[in-house]
């Protein structure tokens, strides 16, 4: 991993470390907050900037990714930025064609159908060459952030990426991908292992480029049951964290990692013992029970129902207050239970951020 030796050291000094402190369970004046999909179509400036441009072309432009990452921070006092990119850049790097089709979402014209199709994937991915544009976007954005808040890098988890590569796009049942788990378990493990290898190098590259925290999105945990999760998701999530941390330790770095397994409530105990500092939660989990089940071993992130942002501002404030009381203000990062939707009102996003800051400061004074 040659690129770890080339860490740019001249980044501006970090001014707001609340998010990083909360990841490590340390005290903060206020509870840090950010939103999944904070760079997105709910912002008019995002829609304007993206208009007429191909989605993955945008992802390949470091300047565009930097601009889109910074947009939400100009509006709201978020405590972290997340690099604008997509989880599906990894299947692309492995040789698959992925297009963003308006009104339909990501689409693979030639998804994997049978185990033989694994032979069509790049066996040895040159991550620097294929995904270097993400690293450049991270370095540029870290500089342009000027130390305002930390920059989060991310990846899709192996099972979630496998599901897209076989389904060919979004799906409600994920039956094509799950068919592999039951009919082709060996080929499934082979693919999950290939993905894991690329992901580890990709995350290390993001850190070398300037990412200050890493989130792993297992967005499709919910279509697995506890048994399939144990076999096809959890071991790879653990492998990723362990391998990334081992490498970082060697180079004397400490970068907190967040695992977000959406609808994976059955795996909460295991996820809290998987080498991640933070476990992200969707809105189906009660804050107090999440604390009990994770036994204070990790920090927690989440988990307001994104749809609560359709409520009037006063109601949002009440919901946030309850959420903060449930989680407590230590070892906690406020977020939504999933991403923002395009029809959400930016004003209410502002109300959410303000409610987190105000209520948590009050709770800390008590
Ligand atoms: O044209 C557009 O703007 C399309 C909307 C969009 C955006 C803004 C897509 C298409 N991707 C993104 C950016 C993105 N994707 C980010 C940017 C940083 C931020 O959060 O602000 C991130 C972190 C992602 C990650 C991502 N992409 C996930 C994991 C998170 C999650 O939502 O569970 C997933 C599943 C994807 C795939 C994807 N990309 C885009 C869409 C619409 C989807 C979901 C498709 C589906 O399953 O139906």
């Amino acid at each position: 991993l040659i690129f770890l030796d080339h860490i740019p050291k001249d980044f501006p000094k970090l001014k707001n470390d609340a998010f990083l402190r909360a990841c490590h369970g340390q005290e903060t004046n206020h509870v840090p907050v950010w939103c999944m999909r904070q760079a997105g179509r709910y912002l008019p400036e995002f829609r304007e900037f993206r208009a007429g441009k191909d989605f993955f072309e945008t992802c390949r432009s470091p300047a565009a990714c930097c601009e889109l990452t910074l947009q939400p921070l100009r509006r709201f006092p978020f405590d972290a930025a997340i690099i604008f990119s997509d989880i599906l850049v990894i299947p692309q790097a492995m040789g698959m064609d992925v297009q963003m089709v308006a009104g339909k979402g990501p689409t693979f014209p030639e998804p994997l159908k049978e185990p033989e199709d694994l032979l069509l994937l790049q066996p040895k991915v040159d991550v620097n060459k294929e995904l270097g544009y993400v690293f450049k976007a991270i370095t540029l954005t870290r500089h342009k952030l000027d130390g305002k808040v930390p920059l989060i890098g991310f990846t899709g988890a192996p099972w979630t990426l496998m599901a897209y590569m076989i389904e060919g796009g979004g799906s409600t049942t994920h039956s094509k991908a799950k068919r592999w788990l039951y009919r082709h378990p060996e080929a499934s493990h082979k693919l999950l292992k290939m993905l894991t290898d690329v992901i580890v190098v990709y995350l290390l590259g993001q850190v070398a480029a300037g990412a200050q925290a890493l989130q792993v999105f297992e967005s499709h945990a919910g279509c697995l049951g506890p048994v399939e999760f144990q076999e096809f998701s959890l071991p790879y999530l653990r492998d990723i964290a362990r391998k990334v941390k081992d490498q970082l330790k060697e180079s004397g770095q400490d970068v907190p990692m967040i695992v977000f397994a959406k609808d994976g409530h059955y795996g909460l105990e295991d996820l809290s013992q998987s080498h991640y500092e933070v476990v992200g939660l969707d809105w189906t989990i009660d804050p107090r029970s999440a604390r009990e089940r994770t036994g204070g071993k990790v920090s927690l992130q989440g988990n307001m129902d994104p749809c609560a942002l359709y409520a009037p501002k006063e109601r949002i404030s009440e919901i946030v207050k309850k959420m903060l009381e449930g989680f407590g203000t230590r070892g906690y990062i406020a977020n939504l239970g999933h991403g923002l939707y395009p029809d959400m009102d930016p004003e209410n996003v502002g109300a959410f951020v303000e409610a987190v800051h105000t209520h948590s400061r009050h709770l800390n004074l008590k």
Side-chain angles (χ1 to χ4, degrees):
L1 291 162
I2 355 132
F3 49 77
L4 274 180
D5 301 331
H6 299 285
I7 302 162
K9 296 248 165 44
D10 59 336
F11 289 130
K13 192 175 175 325
L14 183 61
K15 293 163 198 153
N16 172 0
D17 64 353
F19 167 79
L20 294 178
R21 291 182 60 84
C23 287
H24 292 296
Q26 296 160 350
E27 240 173 84
T28 56
N29 290 327
H30 66 271
V31 163
V33 55
W34 65 282
C35 287
M36 287 187 272
R37 287 284 162 92
Q38 63 191 27
R41 277 180 292 165
Y42 75 104
L43 290 176
E45 59 270 34
F46 179 96
R47 295 194 297 268
E48 194 186 318
F49 189 89
R50 286 262 307 106
K53 295 192 192 87
D54 176 73
F55 178 80
F56 287 109
E57 277 306 316
T58 306
C59 289
R60 280 182 211 108
S61 157
C65 292
C66 175
E67 167 60 21
L68 292 171
T69 303
L70 296 179
Q71 279 183 350
L73 290 145
R74 293 187 192 117
R75 274 191 189 245
F76 315 112
F78 283 128
D79 295 284
I82 181 161
I83 190 67
F84 179 86
S85 187
D86 199 80
I87 62 168
L88 298 176
V89 297
I90 287 187
Q92 286 177 335
M94 294 170 82
M96 293 187 83
D97 184 12
V98 190
Q99 288 157 21
M100 197 58 73
V101 179
K104 193 171 164 217
T107 305
F108 293 64
E110 291 170 82
L112 304 176
K113 291 199 178 66
E114 296 297 331
E116 301 83 81
D117 295 342
L118 293 182
L119 294 171
L120 301 172
L121 298 175
Q122 280 299 327
K124 283 248 177 302
V125 180
D126 183 341
V127 173
N128 277 318
K129 179 165 161 268
E130 300 298 332
L131 294 166
Y133 63 88
V134 180
F135 303 154
K136 286 191 182 125
I138 288 173
T139 303
L140 176 64
T141 307
R142 173 93 183 260
H143 279 290
K144 287 271 159 86
L145 267 168
D146 199 24
K148 196 174 180 184
V149 292
L151 179 60
I152 306 170
F154 70 91
T155 181
W159 158 246
T160 293
L161 293 178
M162 169 181 168
Y164 277 108
M165 290 160 85
I166 295 171
E167 296 293 334
S171 160
T172 41
T173 60
H174 294 99
S175 56
K176 292 194 185 90
K178 288 180 72 182
R179 177 178 164 273
W180 272 52
L181 303 185
Y182 289 100
R183 185 179 283 225
H184 309 300
E186 262 179 47
S188 299
H189 281 298
K190 192 169 170 212
L191 175 54
L192 292 164
K193 173 84 172 55
M194 285 174 83
L195 284 160
T196 300
D197 290 345
V198 178
I199 288 167
V200 168
V201 182
Y202 182 45
L203 290 177
L204 287 167
Q206 293 188 40
V207 173
Q212 290 152 291
L214 298 168
Q215 176 152 324
V216 179
F217 285 95
E218 187 69 291
S219 301
H220 297 159
C223 65
L224 300 175
V227 177
E228 288 67 46
F229 175 77
Q230 287 289 335
E231 181 173 353
F232 297 105
S233 168
L234 185 65
Y236 298 99
L237 291 171
R238 283 191 170 140
D239 236 33
I240 289 166
R242 223 195 40 245
K243 287 181 174 152
V244 168
K245 287 192 177 289
D246 282 352
Q247 286 280 341
L248 290 180
K249 214 177 275 163
E250 263 177 47
S251 61
Q253 295 186 87
D254 181 17
V255 173
M257 294 182 72
I258 309 166
V259 61
F260 174 61
K262 184 168 181 291
D263 294 319
H265 39 82
Y266 51 77
L268 198 47
E269 286 81 357
D270 283 326
L271 287 167
S272 71
Q273 300 170 51
S274 301
H275 323 294
Y276 291 85
E277 281 79 4
V278 185
V279 174
L281 306 168
D282 64 76
W283 65 92
T284 62
I285 305 175
D286 169 70
R288 282 193 175 80
S289 88
R291 277 290 187 213
E292 270 168 36
R293 291 175 57 195
T294 55
K297 283 193 266 308
V298 286
S299 293
L300 296 174
Q301 174 176 280
N303 75 341
M304 189 174 87
D305 182 351
C307 293
L309 290 175
Y310 295 126
K313 287 181 193 156
E314 308 71 54
R315 181 85 186 99
I316 293 172
S317 172
E318 286 167 22
I319 293 169
V320 166
K321 184 158 177 273
K322 270 228 173 80
M323 179 169 80
L324 287 164
E325 287 164 354
F327 281 112
T329 57
R330 182 91 178 249
Y332 174 52
I333 299 145
N335 203 312
L336 304 173
H338 201 199
L340 286 156
Y341 303 138
D343 67 348
M344 283 170 167
D345 184 347
E347 275 212 25
N348 286 14
V349 175
F352 171 68
V353 174
E354 196 198 311
V356 171
H357 285 165
T358 308
H359 289 309
S360 62
R361 282 202 180 95
H362 275 161
L363 287 168
N364 276 347
L365 291 175
K366 273 190 188 165

